[in-house]
Amino acid sequence: MPTKKHVPVLLEQTLRLLRIKEDGLYVDATFGRGGHSSEILKRLSPQGQLIVIDRDPEAIDAARALSNNDARVSAVAGAFADLGDLLDSIDVPSGSIDGMLFDLGVSSPQLDDAHRGFSFMRDGPLDMRMDPDNGQSVAEWISQVTERELVTVIARLGEEKFSRRIARAIVARRSTAAFETTADLASVVDAAVPFKEPGRHPATKTFQALRMYINDELGQLERVLPVAVDRLAAGGRLVVISFHSLEDRIVKRFFRDASRGDPHPPDMPVRADELNPDVRKIGKLVRPTIAETEDNPRARSSRLRCVEKIGGEACVQ
Ligand SMILES: C[S@@+](CC[C@H](N)C(=O)[O-])C[C@H]1O[C@@H](n2cnc3c(N)ncnc32)[C@H](O)[C@@H]1O
């Protein structure tokens, strides 16, 4: 089956909030297939620069192809939790970035390519790593994880109410034969789920949970946010698009705390200028329009938040 094109989510809102300066320095920390990047590039002059990062080797191949044809682009392979080291590796000074984008989760090509092992719809090896050269595959992890841990992961990251039944079925089945393929796991989950939600495959939530766990998606996000703010220039903007309520909660709390400034005892009066916040919040939570969701079902659960590093010009949207 041909791989579907990745349609960038919340594109117009992202570009408006990034407020691109034509000679600026930007980072797209989740390049994917460059949907957002190509629009950023259209707004940059020959002096502008765009650093693109991805941990997926196929995404990085696409990024390198772009950088070979466009001197403004630098492609860097790696996980964004290592943002500081990745930027140091190409000599980007601290506090120099005018805008940074994180469009979290997986891309359509990752989901659509059966060989990557993300899909319960297309059979492939049970892998789900964005970077297949690092860490354990789902097949390896699932072969030795305790039932209890499996319940916790499926319940928390999948918000799956049948996590116990699913975990029990997985552990029972692996005692007779190891899981090797996505179809194999999907059929065991399907059989364990007593009520099927119309229009949704019964393995959807379990696959999401395993993918998020195996790629440490929440840990990556928690680690990168302070570094991202640190690396912004004064007035630079950070835009994060998340797809899971736990991701959005991490972003929301971090932005809230960073915009509040230094902690102080509740009974001690302090002036606003003594609080020393790192950022200010720009606008409210952005959700996709009904039209965008109809055109691009992947946008359905997207949520965008933006902050600006303090020290720039007055906040203009
Ligand atoms: C939703 S897609 C981005 C799509 C992109 N904005 C576009 O329009 O083509 C997310 C991409 O981020 C990458 N990614 C996810 N988490 C990452 C991480 N922690 N470090 C580096 N890349 C990551 C994935 O491999 C995937 O290619």
Side-chain angles (χ1 to χ4, degrees):
M1 183 178 289
T3 296
K4 268 190 276 163
K5 197 172 166 290
H6 184 98
V7 182
V9 168
L10 297 171
L11 178 62
E12 274 175 36
Q13 297 90 328
T14 300
L15 295 166
R16 179 173 55 79
L17 287 162
L18 281 175
R19 228 180 18 166
I20 305 209
K21 298 188 220 163
E22 60 171 13
D23 293 345
L25 169 59
Y26 291 85
V27 173
D28 178 352
T30 49
F31 178 77
R33 287 301 180 274
H36 289 94
S37 279
S38 64
E39 292 298 321
I40 294 172
L41 283 168
K42 284 183 192 163
R43 289 157 178 78
L44 292 179
S45 74
Q47 283 67 46
Q49 287 179 66
L50 177 65
I51 297 162
V52 301
I53 297 171
D54 208 295
R55 77 204 300 201
D56 182 308
E58 290 168 19
I60 276 298
D61 283 349
R64 291 205 172 112
L66 178 65
S67 71
N68 288 340
N69 287 315
D70 190 329
R72 300 170 300 171
V73 180
S74 309
V76 186
F80 60 56
D82 300 325
L83 183 69
D85 291 341
L86 298 177
L87 295 176
D88 287 347
S89 74
I90 53 166
D91 299 324
V92 179
S94 210
S96 62
I97 294 165
D98 295 303
M100 216 181 291
L101 169 65
F102 292 83
D103 174 20
L104 302 172
V106 274
S107 64
S108 305
Q110 285 168 328
L111 289 174
D112 292 343
D113 181 351
H115 291 99
R116 301 303 303 273
F118 285 99
S119 176
F120 45 78
M121 310 285 281
R122 299 175 179 84
D123 196 15
L126 185 58
D127 194 321
M128 297 198 208
R129 283 171 294 179
M130 294 182 197
D131 175 359
D133 295 326
N134 271 306
Q136 282 187 308
S137 67
V138 168
E140 286 163 339
W141 182 70
I142 225 173
S143 70
Q144 43 75 32
V145 64
T146 63
E147 186 173 327
R148 198 181 180 149
E149 191 176 356
L150 202 46
V151 172
T152 306
V153 167
I154 296 173
R156 177 163 180 263
L157 299 179
E159 294 164 331
E160 167 61 75
K161 59 177 182 285
F162 300 118
S163 56
R164 281 175 201 284
R165 288 171 187 253
I166 293 169
R168 200 179 315 133
I170 290 173
V171 168
R173 162 44 220 278
R174 82 177 178 201
S175 64
T176 55
F179 285 97
E180 286 179 2
T181 68
T182 56
D184 194 7
L185 177 63
S187 71
V188 169
V189 175
D190 189 358
V193 170
F195 307 108
K196 324 276 181 216
E197 268 180 58
R200 191 199 274 262
H201 190 289
T204 306
K205 293 177 176 177
T206 301
F207 269 60
Q208 171 189 287
L210 298 177
R211 186 207 88 210
M212 289 181 74
Y213 178 81
I214 222 69
N215 292 291
D216 186 23
E217 294 182 34
L218 298 182
Q220 287 274 320
L221 180 60
E222 272 172 345
R223 293 204 290 284
V224 78
L225 291 173
V227 185
V229 166
D230 195 45
R231 291 291 179 140
L232 284 176
R237 289 188 169 186
L238 169 60
V239 170
V240 185
I241 304 171
S242 55
F243 293 86
H244 190 286
S245 58
L246 294 177
E247 285 173 342
D248 184 55
R249 189 188 300 169
I250 290 170
V251 178
K252 183 177 162 185
R253 287 186 176 166
F254 176 79
F255 283 5
R256 180 196 65 198
D257 293 347
S259 61
R260 263 188 195 158
D262 299 332
H264 61 280
D267 50 352
M268 184 187 284
V270 282
R271 292 197 318 268
D273 63 333
E274 290 173 333
L275 289 171
N276 209 14
D278 294 324
V279 297
R280 63 177 146 242
K281 290 195 247 176
I282 302 295
K284 294 203 168 103
L285 172 71
V286 180
R287 303 290 318 265
T289 59
I290 293 170
E292 176 167 8
T293 307
E294 278 169 2
D295 278 359
N296 183 10
R298 212 181 71 81
R300 194 177 45 225
S301 57
S302 61
R303 297 175 177 95
L304 181 155
R305 294 183 190 271
C306 176
V307 286
E308 180 179 279
K309 180 112 171 229
I310 297 278
E313 58 209 73
C315 160
V316 182
Q317 276 192 59

